[in-house]
Amino acid sequence: MTEITITHTAADGTLADGMVRGGGTYELLKANGFRWFRSLGLMGIQSSRDRQPNEHKISRAARALEEAGHTVTVEIDRTHRDPAEAEADRAARQAERVAALENKADRRAADAEAAWNAEQRATAALPPGGEPVKVGHHSEGRHRRAIDRAHTALGKAVAADRDADHAANRAESAARTTELRNSPVTVANRIRCFTAGA
C-alpha cells in the first residue's frame, strides 16, 4: 500500500506526507482530525504549530492507516522554538494571508464590475420602454431570448457582487486581526498570561 509519514515539529506543526490520490488515505486522515492544507499540498492538524503534539489524534490516525494496510512512520519533535522566532513566523504568515485575501478581493471586485457591465449590455438589448412580448409575432423568440439573457446577466452580477463583498470582508477581517494582535492591550494580556504561567 502507501507509506505515510506523520511528523510534528514546532515550526511546521503536525503534517502527514506520502498520500497517493485515490488511496483512501485522505478519508482516513480526515476522519481522524486532519485537514487538507492547500498551500502545503499536505494534510495536517490545524493550529498545531508551536504547540505540543496532539498525540491522541496522531496515534488514532496512524492506527487507522495501519489497519487499512498502509505503512506509517511517526516522528515527533517536542523541542520548542524561541518565542521571538515563533512570533515573527506567525506575523509573516498573517501578512501573507492578508495580502492574498486583498488580492482576491480586488479580483472579485473586477469580476463584479465586468458582470454589471454585461448586465447593462443585456438590458440595453431589450426592446425599449418595457415593450411586451408579441405572442405569435416573428420577434417573439428573439424577445424571449433577450429577456432570458438579461435575467441571467442580472443573476450573475448579483452573485459576483456578493462574492466581492464576502472577499472584501474577509480581507478586512484578516487585517483587523493583525492590528488587534499587535495592540498594546493584547500584548499586555499575553505577557500577563505568560508571567502567570511561569
Side-chain angles (χ1 to χ4, degrees):
M1 288 296 247
T2 310
E3 187 169 327
I4 306 291
T5 303
I6 299 175
T7 59
H8 178 88
T9 63
D12 297 327
T14 305
L15 298 173
D17 194 12
M19 293 173 42
V20 174
R21 180 176 287 245
T25 51
Y26 171 85
E27 292 77 12
L28 288 169
L29 286 166
K30 185 176 180 188
N32 287 286
F34 284 65
R35 64 171 283 226
W36 179 254
F37 297 128
R38 189 175 7 164
S39 59
L40 300 174
L42 298 169
M43 291 198 77
I45 297 176
Q46 190 170 11
S47 302
S48 59
R49 284 183 175 127
D50 295 307
R51 297 205 174 149
Q52 285 299 307
N54 186 331
E55 297 195 42
H56 174 68
K57 280 186 181 178
I58 293 170
S59 59
R60 195 175 64 198
R63 193 167 44 253
L65 288 165
E66 287 170 345
E67 286 171 0
H70 303 286
T71 304
V72 181
T73 304
V74 177
E75 299 169 359
I76 295 177
D77 179 359
R78 292 179 177 77
T79 308
H80 291 282
R81 285 198 296 175
D82 176 59
E85 179 187 349
E87 184 60 31
D89 185 31
R90 194 176 296 118
R93 284 195 317 271
Q94 181 65 13
E96 287 173 11
R97 182 171 184 269
V98 169
L101 287 170
E102 286 173 346
N103 287 338
K104 184 176 184 177
D106 290 343
R107 289 193 311 271
R108 293 291 186 263
D111 292 347
E113 186 176 345
W116 280 111
N117 289 337
E119 186 275 337
Q120 287 176 348
R121 286 192 304 275
T123 302
L126 291 172
E131 183 180 323
V133 175
K134 297 175 185 167
V135 178
H137 191 264
H138 67 84
S139 64
E140 180 184 357
R142 184 175 60 241
H143 194 155
R144 289 191 187 281
R145 285 190 299 276
I147 290 170
D148 288 344
R149 276 194 299 275
H151 180 73
T152 301
L154 177 62
K156 287 180 179 177
V158 169
D161 221 20
R162 192 169 35 244
D163 289 347
D165 286 345
H166 180 68
N169 288 339
R170 286 188 66 203
E172 186 179 322
S173 176
R176 183 86 174 119
T177 298
T178 301
E179 183 182 313
L180 289 174
R181 181 166 181 74
N182 297 323
S183 77
V185 173
T186 306
V187 172
N189 287 339
R190 276 203 305 270
I191 291 169
R192 195 175 310 114
C193 286
F194 286 138
T195 55

